[in-house]
Amino acid sequence: MTTSEPLSAVSRTALSVALVRAVETARPDPLFRDPYAAAFVAASGTPMPSAGRSDGFARALAFQGVIRTRFYDDRLLGAGCDQVVLLAAGLDARAHRLDWRPGTRLFELDLPPVLDFKERVLGEEAAEARCERSVVAADLLGDDWPDRLLGAGFDPARPTAWLAEGLLVYLAEHEAAHLLSTVGALSASGSRLFLERGRDVSATPREAELASITDHWKGGLGPGTHEWLARHGWSVEVSDLVTVAAGYGRPTQRVTTAGFISAERTAPDRDVRAAEPGSAQI
């Protein structure tokens, strides 16, 4: 992937997601279509895998990536919010491929090198967004990303649909708590938040094919992610991967605790973090 700045190792994982979406799009019965995923992969010089190349945990992660893409597509479109924020958006092309309701404004946050590459490829593909789209270069581990988001036109008084897809697992516990506390402070009542169910990364099998991804996992808030959100002003629903996949006609026999969190902001628009000792502060 060629950009004006080098990509971090974590940023390069966006290519793995694009690869999964490109392979799914090429199926005769895809759960979604991402016409730009293959273009991102081609522009990066990453070879497309041959059929059946991956096995074990690699295959399981790819399967989860497909299911979560469709799950978040459905949840974002059904959230009832006309303001959407994609945290660590990576090579997400939802602004260009989903049928957003009129008046939707979508914000994409990520590091400059990722966004530079993404904009170049989308420009070469003559991609047109299906909503009002704002790209915000920001480091989510820094303290200025809320100001950058506000400066791009984000309105914290309006209900927002937030997506943190594949993000928290790359953060340490305090980093994840800080980020979600900030999201909560920016969320009006009725806002929605979508992310993965937390996992215990200490039990992650190490496979050479996945080392460039899993070696950077820090675990975020772990298995207690949904409980943390419930203590911080969110009404939480957990959907397990197996049930969601079966509902999409993609049943799996693999035993897994993976799943997805859908949360709604229910607390008054105030700082609820003071209710828990030791909570991260903005």
Side-chain angles (χ1 to χ4, degrees):
M1 183 186 292
T2 303
T3 65
S4 56
E5 300 177 51
L7 285 173
S8 69
V10 172
S11 292
R12 289 193 64 83
T13 63
L15 281 172
S16 298
V17 178
L19 184 58
V20 167
R21 291 176 177 167
V23 171
E24 176 66 17
T25 299
R27 285 177 58 119
D29 59 343
L31 288 185
F32 58 84
R33 287 185 171 84
D34 186 342
Y36 306 105
F40 290 135
V41 173
S44 73
T46 302
M48 290 286 285
S50 58
R53 173 183 167 189
S54 296
D55 203 354
F57 190 54
R59 182 180 293 275
L61 274 189
F63 179 80
Q64 180 181 345
V66 169
I67 301 302
R68 83 179 188 190
T69 296
R70 173 61 185 274
F71 181 83
Y72 292 145
D73 285 356
D74 292 345
R75 290 301 173 106
L76 287 171
L77 291 177
C81 302
D82 60 7
Q83 185 169 248
V84 179
V85 179
L86 307 182
L87 298 168
L91 303 180
D92 189 312
R94 287 186 172 93
H96 300 81
R97 65 179 182 81
L98 296 184
D99 293 324
W100 300 99
R101 69 179 186 175
T104 297
R105 184 164 191 186
L106 184 147
F107 299 86
E108 298 182 12
L109 279 71
D110 213 317
L111 297 171
V114 178
L115 296 177
D116 289 346
F117 171 78
K118 182 176 185 177
E119 294 307 291
R120 176 172 66 81
V121 175
L122 289 174
E124 292 171 352
E125 295 296 308
E128 294 186 8
R130 299 185 178 185
C131 59
E132 184 178 353
R133 174 177 178 254
S134 297
V135 175
V136 182
D139 183 352
L140 293 174
L141 295 182
D143 293 324
D144 65 341
W145 73 262
D147 290 334
R148 290 175 180 267
L149 182 59
L150 292 167
F154 174 82
D155 182 359
R158 293 166 58 188
T160 303
W162 300 85
L163 177 62
E165 182 174 15
L167 171 59
L168 262 61
V169 73
Y170 292 100
L171 305 181
E173 182 177 2
H174 71 280
E175 293 170 334
H178 183 78
L179 176 65
L180 292 182
S181 293
T182 305
V183 168
L186 292 169
S187 296
S189 294
S191 292
R192 305 297 301 275
L193 171 63
F194 307 109
L195 66 163
E196 284 83 69
R197 185 178 192 175
R199 68 167 74 217
D200 177 6
V201 298
S202 67
T204 301
R206 194 176 193 283
E207 298 181 4
E209 184 179 357
L210 294 175
S212 62
I213 297 174
T214 57
D215 281 0
H216 300 286
W217 284 1
K218 299 179 181 179
L221 294 172
T225 302
H226 60 291
E227 296 169 341
W228 188 99
L229 289 169
R231 293 195 303 269
H232 288 76
W234 298 89
S235 174
V236 181
E237 172 192 357
V238 179
S239 304
D240 68 271
L241 174 65
V242 173
T243 300
V244 172
Y248 288 141
R250 296 284 182 87
T252 176
Q253 300 300 315
R254 185 180 180 89
V255 177
T256 177
T257 60
F260 314 103
I261 293 174
S262 303
E264 181 175 356
R265 190 70 169 161
T266 55
D269 293 333
R270 59 184 176 83
D271 191 349
V272 299
R273 288 164 295 151
E276 179 173 320
S279 295
Q281 298 295 310
I282 296 178

